[in-house]
mmCIF file of all heavy atoms in Angstrom:
data_model
loop_
_atom_site.group_PDB
_atom_site.id
_atom_site.type_symbol
_atom_site.label_atom_id
_atom_site.label_comp_id
_atom_site.label_asym_id
_atom_site.label_seq_id
_atom_site.Cartn_x
_atom_site.Cartn_y
_atom_site.Cartn_z
ATOM 1 N N MET A 980 4.255 -4.246 -6.118
ATOM 2 C CA MET A 980 3.019 -4.853 -5.633
ATOM 3 C C MET A 980 1.999 -4.975 -6.751
ATOM 4 O O MET A 980 1.261 -5.968 -6.829
ATOM 5 C CB MET A 980 2.466 -4.033 -4.484
ATOM 6 C CG MET A 980 3.312 -4.082 -3.215
ATOM 7 S SD MET A 980 3.576 -5.730 -2.533
ATOM 8 C CE MET A 980 2.008 -6.038 -1.787
ATOM 9 N N LEU A 981 1.924 -3.988 -7.649
ATOM 10 C CA LEU A 981 1.026 -4.092 -8.794
ATOM 11 C C LEU A 981 1.425 -5.279 -9.658
ATOM 12 O O LEU A 981 0.582 -6.105 -10.066
ATOM 13 C CB LEU A 981 1.049 -2.808 -9.628
ATOM 14 C CG LEU A 981 0.390 -1.588 -9.085
ATOM 15 C CD1 LEU A 981 0.636 -0.388 -9.963
ATOM 16 C CD2 LEU A 981 -1.102 -1.824 -8.871
ATOM 17 N N ARG A 982 2.731 -5.392 -9.930
ATOM 18 C CA ARG A 982 3.195 -6.542 -10.757
ATOM 19 C C ARG A 982 2.840 -7.855 -10.079
ATOM 20 O O ARG A 982 2.373 -8.777 -10.716
ATOM 21 C CB ARG A 982 4.710 -6.390 -10.950
ATOM 22 C CG ARG A 982 5.283 -7.471 -11.858
ATOM 23 C CD ARG A 982 6.772 -7.242 -12.195
ATOM 24 N NE ARG A 982 7.057 -5.914 -12.672
ATOM 25 C CZ ARG A 982 6.791 -5.457 -13.916
ATOM 26 N NH1 ARG A 982 6.202 -6.247 -14.779
ATOM 27 N NH2 ARG A 982 7.120 -4.242 -14.253
ATOM 28 N N HIS A 983 3.069 -7.937 -8.783
ATOM 29 C CA HIS A 983 2.738 -9.151 -8.026
ATOM 30 C C HIS A 983 1.218 -9.447 -8.141
ATOM 31 O O HIS A 983 0.811 -10.563 -8.399
ATOM 32 C CB HIS A 983 3.161 -8.994 -6.572
ATOM 33 C CG HIS A 983 2.722 -10.090 -5.677
ATOM 34 N ND1 HIS A 983 3.288 -11.350 -5.724
ATOM 35 C CD2 HIS A 983 1.742 -10.151 -4.731
ATOM 36 C CE1 HIS A 983 2.690 -12.131 -4.817
ATOM 37 N NE2 HIS A 983 1.750 -11.419 -4.218
ATOM 38 N N GLY A 984 0.400 -8.406 -7.940
ATOM 39 C CA GLY A 984 -1.048 -8.574 -7.980
ATOM 40 C C GLY A 984 -1.563 -9.049 -9.304
ATOM 41 O O GLY A 984 -2.408 -9.939 -9.385
ATOM 42 N N PHE A 985 -1.050 -8.443 -10.353
ATOM 43 C CA PHE A 985 -1.547 -8.795 -11.699
ATOM 44 C C PHE A 985 -0.864 -10.048 -12.258
ATOM 45 O O PHE A 985 -1.552 -10.916 -12.825
ATOM 46 C CB PHE A 985 -1.357 -7.619 -12.659
ATOM 47 C CG PHE A 985 -2.314 -6.477 -12.378
ATOM 48 C CD1 PHE A 985 -1.808 -5.203 -12.137
ATOM 49 C CD2 PHE A 985 -3.689 -6.641 -12.345
ATOM 50 C CE1 PHE A 985 -2.661 -4.134 -11.861
ATOM 51 C CE2 PHE A 985 -4.558 -5.603 -12.069
ATOM 52 C CZ PHE A 985 -4.036 -4.334 -11.833
ATOM 53 N N CYS A 986 0.445 -10.142 -12.104
ATOM 54 C CA CYS A 986 1.163 -11.244 -12.784
ATOM 55 C C CYS A 986 1.231 -12.530 -11.957
ATOM 56 O O CYS A 986 1.275 -13.620 -12.532
ATOM 57 C CB CYS A 986 2.580 -10.768 -13.118
ATOM 58 S SG CYS A 986 2.630 -9.366 -14.235
ATOM 59 N N THR A 987 1.314 -12.435 -10.635
ATOM 60 C CA THR A 987 1.412 -13.624 -9.797
ATOM 61 C C THR A 987 0.066 -14.053 -9.249
ATOM 62 O O THR A 987 -0.317 -15.230 -9.353
ATOM 63 C CB THR A 987 2.414 -13.355 -8.623
ATOM 64 O OG1 THR A 987 3.651 -12.950 -9.193
ATOM 65 C CG2 THR A 987 2.603 -14.610 -7.796
ATOM 66 N N VAL A 988 -0.656 -13.118 -8.657
ATOM 67 C CA VAL A 988 -1.968 -13.440 -8.065
ATOM 68 C C VAL A 988 -3.049 -13.570 -9.126
ATOM 69 O O VAL A 988 -3.989 -14.355 -8.987
ATOM 70 C CB VAL A 988 -2.359 -12.396 -6.981
ATOM 71 C CG1 VAL A 988 -3.702 -12.759 -6.338
ATOM 72 C CG2 VAL A 988 -1.276 -12.276 -5.935
ATOM 73 N N GLY A 989 -2.913 -12.826 -10.208
ATOM 74 C CA GLY A 989 -3.889 -12.895 -11.284
ATOM 75 C C GLY A 989 -5.126 -12.032 -11.057
ATOM 76 O O GLY A 989 -6.217 -12.343 -11.556
ATOM 77 N N LEU A 990 -4.939 -10.926 -10.365
ATOM 78 C CA LEU A 990 -6.099 -10.055 -10.104
ATOM 79 C C LEU A 990 -6.581 -9.362 -11.376
ATOM 80 O O LEU A 990 -5.742 -8.973 -12.205
ATOM 81 C CB LEU A 990 -5.680 -8.976 -9.069
ATOM 82 C CG LEU A 990 -5.272 -9.499 -7.679
ATOM 83 C CD1 LEU A 990 -4.733 -8.350 -6.822
ATOM 84 C CD2 LEU A 990 -6.429 -10.191 -7.002
ATOM 85 N N PRO A 991 -7.866 -9.175 -11.525
ATOM 86 C CA PRO A 991 -8.378 -8.466 -12.710
ATOM 87 C C PRO A 991 -8.299 -6.957 -12.569
ATOM 88 O O PRO A 991 -8.301 -6.233 -13.548
ATOM 89 C CB PRO A 991 -9.834 -8.933 -12.800
ATOM 90 C CG PRO A 991 -10.207 -9.281 -11.384
ATOM 91 C CD PRO A 991 -8.940 -9.768 -10.716
ATOM 92 N N ARG A 992 -8.235 -6.467 -11.317
ATOM 93 C CA ARG A 992 -8.301 -5.030 -11.068
ATOM 94 C C ARG A 992 -7.758 -4.741 -9.668
ATOM 95 O O ARG A 992 -7.960 -5.537 -8.753
ATOM 96 C CB ARG A 992 -9.761 -4.624 -11.190
ATOM 97 C CG ARG A 992 -10.115 -3.211 -10.876
ATOM 98 C CD ARG A 992 -11.653 -3.078 -11.111
ATOM 99 N NE ARG A 992 -12.170 -1.903 -10.449
ATOM 100 C CZ ARG A 992 -12.296 -0.726 -11.044
ATOM 101 N NH1 ARG A 992 -11.942 -0.582 -12.289
ATOM 102 N NH2 ARG A 992 -12.800 0.296 -10.402
ATOM 103 N N ILE A 993 -7.109 -3.596 -9.532
ATOM 104 C CA ILE A 993 -6.593 -3.142 -8.235
ATOM 105 C C ILE A 993 -7.028 -1.659 -8.101
ATOM 106 O O ILE A 993 -6.969 -0.909 -9.040
ATOM 107 C CB ILE A 993 -5.060 -3.261 -8.139
ATOM 108 C CG1 ILE A 993 -4.682 -4.749 -8.196
ATOM 109 C CG2 ILE A 993 -4.554 -2.605 -6.864
ATOM 110 C CD1 ILE A 993 -3.191 -4.986 -8.261
ATOM 111 N N VAL A 994 -7.493 -1.320 -6.895
ATOM 112 C CA VAL A 994 -7.970 0.034 -6.655
ATOM 113 C C VAL A 994 -7.136 0.711 -5.571
ATOM 114 O O VAL A 994 -6.378 0.055 -4.851
ATOM 115 C CB VAL A 994 -9.479 0.066 -6.273
ATOM 116 C CG1 VAL A 994 -10.307 -0.580 -7.368
ATOM 117 C CG2 VAL A 994 -9.725 -0.575 -4.929
ATOM 118 N N ALA A 995 -7.331 2.005 -5.417
ATOM 119 C CA ALA A 995 -6.686 2.777 -4.346
ATOM 120 C C ALA A 995 -7.619 3.921 -3.958
ATOM 121 O O ALA A 995 -8.334 4.462 -4.804
ATOM 122 C CB ALA A 995 -5.336 3.329 -4.820
ATOM 123 N N PHE A 996 -7.559 4.267 -2.723
ATOM 124 C CA PHE A 996 -8.313 5.399 -2.178
ATOM 125 C C PHE A 996 -7.330 6.392 -1.621
ATOM 126 O O PHE A 996 -6.367 6.026 -0.936
ATOM 127 C CB PHE A 996 -9.285 4.929 -1.074
ATOM 128 C CG PHE A 996 -10.317 4.006 -1.552
ATOM 129 C CD1 PHE A 996 -10.112 2.616 -1.562
ATOM 130 C CD2 PHE A 996 -11.542 4.470 -2.004
ATOM 131 C CE1 PHE A 996 -11.070 1.749 -2.018
ATOM 132 C CE2 PHE A 996 -12.514 3.598 -2.429
ATOM 133 C CZ PHE A 996 -12.297 2.242 -2.464
ATOM 134 N N VAL A 997 -7.578 7.692 -1.844
ATOM 135 C CA VAL A 997 -6.639 8.714 -1.404
ATOM 136 C C VAL A 997 -7.397 9.991 -1.051
ATOM 137 O O VAL A 997 -8.368 10.354 -1.716
ATOM 138 C CB VAL A 997 -5.535 8.959 -2.455
ATOM 139 C CG1 VAL A 997 -6.104 9.468 -3.754
ATOM 140 C CG2 VAL A 997 -4.455 9.881 -1.951
ATOM 141 N N PHE A 998 -6.957 10.637 0.011
ATOM 142 C CA PHE A 998 -7.521 11.932 0.375
ATOM 143 C C PHE A 998 -7.219 12.940 -0.727
ATOM 144 O O PHE A 998 -6.098 12.959 -1.262
ATOM 145 C CB PHE A 998 -6.956 12.423 1.696
ATOM 146 C CG PHE A 998 -7.570 11.779 2.919
ATOM 147 C CD1 PHE A 998 -7.084 10.586 3.399
ATOM 148 C CD2 PHE A 998 -8.626 12.398 3.574
ATOM 149 C CE1 PHE A 998 -7.655 9.980 4.515
ATOM 150 C CE2 PHE A 998 -9.182 11.823 4.698
ATOM 151 C CZ PHE A 998 -8.714 10.613 5.161
ATOM 152 N N PRO A 999 -8.174 13.787 -1.087
ATOM 153 C CA PRO A 999 -7.977 14.725 -2.177
ATOM 154 C C PRO A 999 -6.781 15.683 -1.993
ATOM 155 O O PRO A 999 -6.189 16.162 -2.945
ATOM 156 C CB PRO A 999 -9.273 15.527 -2.237
ATOM 157 C CG PRO A 999 -10.281 14.664 -1.562
ATOM 158 C CD PRO A 999 -9.537 13.853 -0.541
ATOM 159 N N ASP A 1000 -6.401 15.961 -0.751
ATOM 160 C CA ASP A 1000 -5.268 16.871 -0.518
ATOM 161 C C ASP A 1000 -3.981 16.122 -0.278
ATOM 162 O O ASP A 1000 -2.944 16.761 0.020
ATOM 163 C CB ASP A 1000 -5.576 17.851 0.621
ATOM 164 C CG ASP A 1000 -5.931 17.186 1.943
ATOM 165 O OD1 ASP A 1000 -6.319 16.010 1.927
ATOM 166 O OD2 ASP A 1000 -5.829 17.848 2.967
#
Side-chain angles (χ1 to χ4, degrees):
M980 293 300 285
L981 288 174
R982 184 173 308 284
H983 173 72
F985 290 123
C986 299
T987 305
V988 181
L990 299 173
R992 175 179 162 93
I993 296 173
V994 303
F996 297 89
V997 62
F998 281 86
D1000 57 341

